[in-house]
Amino acid sequence: MTAWILTLVIASPLVGAALLLLPRAENRRVIERIALWGSLVTLLLTVVAAVLFFRHPTDGGFALKLAASWLGGTGEGADLREAGNPLAGAGIDVAYRVGVDGISIWLLLLTAFLTPLALASSFTAIRERVREYYILLLLLEVGMLGVFCSLDLLLFYVFFEFTLVPLYFLIGIWGGPEKRKAANKFFIYTLGGSVLTFAGVLFTAYYAYAHGAGKFTLNIEELMRLARGGAFPPNVQWWVFLALAAGFAIKVPLFPLHTWLPLAHTEAPTAGSVILAGVLLKLGTYGFCRLSIPLLPDASRAWAPALAVLAIAGIIYTALAAWVQRDVKKLIAYSSVSHLGFCILGLFSMKLAGMNGAVMYMVNHGLSTGALFLVVGCVYERYHTREFDKLGGLARRMPVAAFFLIVFTLSSIGLPGLNGFVGEFLVLLGAATSNQVTDGLAAGPLGFSYAAAAAVGIILGAVYMLYMCGRVLFGPLVEPAHTPDTSHGLSHDLTRREVGILAPIALACLLLGVYPKPMLSSIQSAAQANVFQPIEVRQASAGALGDAAPFVAMGSEIGIPMLAVAQQEGPPATVAAGADDLEWVTSARFVPQEHDSP
């Protein structure tokens, strides 16, 4: 059961989508219930997976792992040449590999948690082609869950790309007046960047095969081990990092590649906006966290200042753009871009505090921004407009909706006691202390000036979000000419169904704001084991080699994995990166030399 639980999680929405083919197309209620129960089963299986994961601590490593042969790939512990696969002798190791660590388990839970809520929000909003709509939503969930579970680069890429197709049709069929333009722009942007990402994936596997791996492997754990041994020299890392970043930066989206997102958010149906903001945008930040930083540590540090500048520019520019919007949904869309800049800033601070804050920010942003889209969707269903000039004083008409809008607004702007505060604080702390040795890691590439500039975005965020609440909820009552639409089971204020959708998110925001320790503990252990360990090990090798370090670096440049050789034949400190070794290399006695990696 433990080994197969993640496969069951990934496959369960697919089973739900297949069951939706059974009822007649006009039997809308049955279709809605099958879709909802299918997503709830997925949530239950994900909770079981989380319980199994936390019941058996792994010191931050991957757990619940399963590997099955595909193209020469083998299961755990099997030898390639004994696999019985004709491709095994050719040295090809591509397999179905899944597993989670303390980072991906929370994003897995976020996906399974938001999907049934997004499905339930569509019961009154979607009236045409209902079966196709829910099938696409469940297929989209399959792709998102698969990304967070993948431990094989090809499997990761397949799921990463698969998410484009369902969302393209969700926007293009059930979107707003400019739905085709929004869908096409979304697809072209993301597919264009992903082609370069695929080139980076293939070259990473090829280079590992040609310089030390002995096989064409896409095993993420194996590639991490090779990165620790210095198999990827800085010049190779530089180009591979750019290739991977092409897809990840567009998916985030990072300024100035963000222009597709506001239109996609505005035109998408409410459930599409919730899933897009809550989960899909995290695929880009997760890609940086899972692949770019651990596999390409030197390039990540070299590019970190540039990415941080782009992140800060996006934080401030899109905050100002949000402030002048006349459409509530578009304002929240621009705020989404601004907030995700903090995730990039935290990731590339190269500090545990920044990494903790960035991953927690991913989860918090998914909860608070997804909930804001849900509330705006509830208002739109009644008034069929989202323009500020046509809405005002709605707290009198919709007091329950006003309560939830204020709660999620305060969560979004980082009010202490709610979930947004902890992530923002840790991101700024990581950026401010990046150039210091404060957490056992070497000094990073950022500093206090980056944190100070990003803090301006927090102030602007509070301004435009509170402005939005003031315009929509308070002052004289302003409504469109027609009365609120109370057909299809709607009331003037939120129904019990809508309260049942929003209340669990509000509770999650409160719990994570009051007691974030369990999440932060698991994220930190995973970051130490799977993200920053390659950087520490390479520094340990260079420090122990002393005067020989420049020659090791020179050997790496010409494709000789000399760090791996040195670890086997050198002093005891370089044989294995144990706790004592890391303590030695990160002590105050270690001073980076000019020949060390940037």
Side-chain angles (χ1 to χ4, degrees), residues 444-456:
L446 307 184
F448 181 79
S449 58
Y450 291 86
V456 175

Side-chain angles (χ1 to χ4, degrees), residues 378-386 390-391 394 397-398 477-480 482-485 492:
C378 293
V379 174
Y380 182 79
E381 282 191 62
R382 288 160 172 81
Y383 291 102
H384 304 292
T385 184
R386 297 183 298 261
K390 298 179 180 179
L391 297 171
L394 296 187
R397 179 79 74 173
M398 306 175 68
L477 181 64
V478 178
E479 296 177 308
H482 57 80
T483 57
D485 184 356
H492 285 84

Side-chain angles (χ1 to χ4, degrees), residues 279-523:
V279 182
L280 280 172
L281 301 185
K282 313 306 181 299
L283 301 188
T285 51
Y286 180 74
F288 280 120
C289 174
R290 175 60 69 229
L291 301 180
S292 299
I293 297 176
L295 297 183
L296 312 166
D298 297 328
S300 297
R301 294 171 70 85
W303 280 102
L307 289 174
V309 169
L310 292 178
I312 293 170
I315 289 171
I316 297 176
Y317 172 80
T318 53
L320 293 173
W323 196 354
V324 298
Q325 296 305 312
R326 303 266 66 85
D327 184 295
V328 181
K329 195 175 185 182
K330 190 170 285 189
L331 180 148
I332 299 172
Y334 274 103
S335 77
S336 184
V337 181
S338 182
H339 289 156
L340 284 166
F342 286 96
C343 295
I344 295 296
L345 187 66
L347 291 175
F348 287 94
S349 69
M350 298 297 177
K351 287 294 176 182
L352 288 175
M355 179 62 66
N356 283 347
V359 177
M360 189 169 189
Y361 209 111
M362 294 182 210
V363 177
N364 292 339
H365 175 268
L367 294 172
S368 56
T369 305
L372 286 171
F373 279 120
L374 286 171
V375 176
V376 172
C378 293
V379 174
Y380 182 79
E381 282 191 62
R382 288 160 172 81
Y383 291 102
H384 304 292
T385 184
R386 297 183 298 261
E387 296 180 18
F388 284 108
D389 295 338
K390 298 179 180 179
L391 297 171
L394 296 187
R396 294 185 179 87
R397 179 79 74 173
M398 306 175 68
V400 178
F403 167 78
F404 281 112
L405 183 61
I406 291 173
V407 167
F408 296 127
T409 296
L410 295 177
S411 169
S412 180
I413 65 178
L415 180 73
L418 294 175
N419 58 331
F421 172 75
V422 180
E424 282 184 352
F425 171 75
L426 289 174
V427 165
L428 294 180
L429 178 63
T433 60
S434 175
N435 57 358
Q436 305 173 23
V437 182
T438 57
D439 54 3
L441 296 177
L446 307 184
F448 181 79
S449 58
Y450 291 86
V456 175
I458 296 179
I459 299 172
L460 293 175
V463 170
Y464 66 72
M465 292 301 292
L466 292 176
Y467 164 81
M468 180 266 292
C469 279
R471 285 294 302 269
V472 173
L473 299 180
F474 304 110
L477 181 64
V478 178
E479 296 177 308
H482 57 80
T483 57
D485 184 356
T486 56
S487 62
H488 308 306
L490 296 175
S491 59
H492 285 84
D493 205 351
L494 299 186
T495 63
R496 287 182 295 178
R497 175 183 59 86
E498 292 167 329
V499 172
I501 293 170
L502 295 171
I505 305 179
L507 181 60
C509 291
L510 180 62
L511 290 177
L512 290 177
V514 173
Y515 189 56
K517 182 179 178 180
M519 176 183 286
L520 293 177
S521 297
S522 64
I523 293 171

